[in-house]
Amino acid sequence: MDTQRQFDIDFVRSQFPGLQHGWTFFDNAGGSQILKRAVERMTTFLYDKNVQIGGSYDVSQQAAKALMDGRNAAMHLVNASRPEEIVFGSSTTVLLQNLARAMRSQLSAGDEIIVTISDHESNIGPWEGLRDMGVVVRFWPLDATTFELDLADLEPLMSERTKLVCVTHVSNVLGTVNPIAEIAAMVHARGARICVDAVAYAPHRAVDVTAMDVDYYVFSFYKTYGPHYAMMYGKYDHLLELDPLYHFFYGRDKVPGKLEPGNANYELAYSVTGIVDYLCELGARSGATGPTRALILAAFAAITVQENALTDRLLSYLRSRNDCRVIGQTTNRDGGRIPTISFVFEGHNSEDICKAMDDYKIAIRFGDFHARRLGDHVGLPQYNGAVRVSMVHYNTTEEVDRLVAALDAILGRDAPISSKGTI
Ligand SMILES: Cc1ncc(COP(=O)(O)O)c(C=O)c1O
């Protein structure tokens, strides 16, 4: 099967103006390229409706509708039940900090929150900040050989005082998809709630907060083909319980406004309609018909096929080099991996590899990617971090081949060997 033709890669790439300048962008987990139509929605808002919402006059009503259109688009994107379940914010970090702040009155000294060592610091630090009120924070360990979070390790950590389990859907270093629905079921059975960081997942797979039965679910649009903006889904009843973060007259029932101090950014929120439009067109081009949600699902099915081809190609090369250690699973077993692939080369400083790659106009990144605790746990400091190649569906197998050729040129094909496998 010719997945690239079926996938219509030419159409896909034509939708991203930033791809037209000759660079290979493999730093998408840092930030993806933005869709032309997301930019167009922003300019439409700014040129035609750029007034404060809440006025009685026509343009103000149009602005309010644009914001609601953005919320509705985000609702479809994640399969929430109602637009009020979408909270907009400037970044995932800020949304999680706000969530932790808005939970204070429902927590008491001795309550417990579980976080994972494989998370980005955005989903650890805000919870650790609650230690000042006596909240106990426990770490769900990660197996440093398999890189998996084992549910059997979570179980003994939970007690009747556990209020929240915070976990990443996919680590932005490891690339493995965690079984969120399964984790949520276990957390709920113990009477706790779950808060998921989906930043590294949302660009790659269809999100279904209803099917997963998550309580809070957060990700950033600037890594999901949009501008620098982010959203948090929360179950409506949970959002009602959260403490207001806005003026005193924004009471508990003002959902989601009480959680968006200073208001949502209208043009950024409206740009989400452009992301969803694009996904719908992609879904329709892959042969799907039906409502928005059906088209979104079809789009991500097509995206998955394309991404699996990229993942398999790069992993196969990395496995063929006996001086390479993949920081994560070395195969894409059951499609359980997204194309964010981190690795180190024995005897090489990761920074040198990335800098050498600049000459090839291939954009990659090294470091711990703000998953500092994970990086330390798997021994990244001795390599000056990992090299991370993070691909999305607009990347091509030809680009992977270009990267492979560049790696061979930079490192030499017959590099000296030490150990093989994973750290
Ligand atoms: C997995 C993950 N979580 C959270 C964040 C933080 O997102 P933001 O920059 O929107 O705060 C990032 C950013 O790289 C990330 O990769």
Side-chain angles (χ1 to χ4, degrees):
M1 182 171 60
D2 182 346
T3 52
Q4 289 218 7
R5 207 181 62 221
Q6 187 195 48
F7 180 61
D8 201 350
I9 189 76
D10 292 340
F11 161 73
V12 166
R13 290 182 69 85
S14 73
Q15 301 302 299
F16 294 89
L19 294 179
Q20 318 309 322
H21 308 308
W23 275 86
T24 292
F25 288 116
F26 278 161
D27 187 22
N28 297 290
S32 70
Q33 292 301 300
I34 191 167
L35 282 158
K36 185 164 186 281
R37 59 185 101 182
V39 177
E40 285 169 351
R41 296 300 153 95
M42 288 190 275
T43 50
T44 298
F45 184 92
L46 291 169
Y47 290 155
D48 301 341
K49 315 170 207 262
N50 194 28
V51 296
Q52 180 61 296
I53 65 169
S56 58
Y57 55 98
D58 178 60
V59 190
S60 179
Q61 308 255 318
Q62 284 185 42
K65 180 178 178 309
L67 174 58
M68 189 47 100
D69 287 350
R71 243 185 255 287
N72 274 311
M75 174 189 74
H76 289 305
L77 188 58
V78 301
N79 202 28
S81 310
R82 48 194 290 182
E84 293 82 6
E85 291 183 323
I86 307 300
V87 181
F88 285 121
S90 60
S91 67
T92 290
T93 303
V94 165
L95 283 168
L96 286 167
Q97 287 172 346
N98 284 349
L99 177 62
R101 196 152 60 94
M103 284 184 73
R104 278 185 175 258
S105 75
Q106 50 185 278
L107 296 168
S108 329
D111 282 345
E112 295 166 7
I113 292 180
I114 296 174
V115 298
T116 92
I117 203 159
S118 60
D119 268 77
H120 186 284
E121 193 58 25
S122 290
N123 201 22
I124 303 175
W127 309 114
E128 287 224 301
L130 297 174
R131 285 190 203 268
D132 69 358
M133 57 178 291
V135 167
V136 176
V137 177
R138 296 190 195 289
F139 276 84
W140 181 0
L142 177 85
D143 186 313
T145 312
T146 64
F147 303 103
E148 283 186 5
L149 289 169
D150 194 337
L151 274 171
D153 292 331
L154 174 61
E155 183 140 36
L157 289 179
M158 295 194 74
S159 77
E160 66 285 354
R161 296 301 300 268
T162 307
K163 298 290 183 227
L164 191 69
V165 174
C166 304
V167 59
T168 187
H169 202 155
V170 170
S171 146
N172 62 332
V173 177
L174 304 175
T176 317
V177 179
N178 289 318
I180 295 299
E182 217 180 311
I183 299 169
M186 177 170 163
V187 166
H188 291 152
R190 297 302 199 92
R193 290 179 184 170
I194 183 166
C195 170
V196 181
D197 173 350
V199 173
Y201 180 86
H204 305 286
R205 301 287 183 269
V207 169
D208 191 335
V209 292
T210 304
M212 289 183 290
D213 193 24
V214 287
D215 300 295
Y216 302 105
Y217 193 89
V218 191
F219 64 91
S220 310
F221 292 113
Y222 73 98
K223 306 185 199 253
T224 310
Y225 320 120
H228 264 85
Y229 210 41
M231 63 157 279
M232 176 179 83
Y233 157 82
K235 282 184 182 161
Y236 187 71
D237 288 347
H238 297 351
L239 296 184
L240 283 175
E241 286 172 21
L242 293 173
D243 303 337
L245 303 177
Y246 208 174
H247 304 309
F248 75 89
F249 40 84
Y250 278 72
R252 255 173 218 283
D253 60 331
K254 289 269 183 285
V255 169
K258 71 171 181 185
L259 302 166
E260 294 175 336
N263 272 340
N265 176 306
Y266 307 146
E267 67 271 20
L268 297 179
Y270 188 48
S271 78
V272 180
T273 63
I275 300 173
V276 169
D277 251 31
Y278 163 73
L279 291 169
C280 287
E281 184 169 354
L282 195 57
R285 280 171 177 263
S286 75
T289 53
T292 301
R293 190 63 199 166
L295 297 174
I296 290 173
L297 291 176
F300 277 106
I303 284 171
T304 301
V305 172
Q306 169 72 358
E307 290 192 349
N308 281 343
L310 302 173
T311 304
D312 291 343
R313 206 168 186 97
L314 181 56
L315 283 178
S316 141
Y317 166 76
L318 295 175
R319 283 194 309 266
S320 79
R321 290 200 62 118
N322 45 16
D323 55 350
C324 178
R325 295 176 174 183
V326 175
I327 312 300
Q329 292 177 357
T330 54
T331 63
N332 187 17
R333 228 179 334 120
D334 305 324
R337 209 186 192 300
I338 51 108
T340 295
I341 301 174
S342 305
F343 48 88
V344 294
F345 281 96
E346 286 303 337
H348 288 272
N349 180 322
S350 295
E351 179 175 7
D352 296 341
I353 297 172
C354 290
K355 284 193 166 154
M357 206 55 82
D358 295 346
D359 292 340
Y360 296 83
K361 292 193 90 174
I362 297 174
I364 57 174
R365 182 178 295 271
F366 73 98
D368 60 27
F369 317 103
H370 289 186
R372 178 71 45 92
R373 300 165 203 256
L374 171 65
D376 292 349
H377 185 61
V378 300
L380 291 187
Q382 61 177 304
Y383 302 95
N384 193 14
V387 177
R388 184 178 70 183
V389 175
S390 54
M391 303 175 282
V392 292
H393 67 289
Y394 54 58
N395 290 123
T396 65
T397 48
E398 290 76 17
E399 287 180 316
V400 178
D401 292 346
R402 222 173 294 147
L403 173 86
V404 162
L407 280 172
D408 277 346
I410 293 164
L411 299 162
R413 187 61 188 103
D414 300 306
I417 311 315
S418 56
S419 56
K420 186 174 164 62
T422 55
I423 298 179

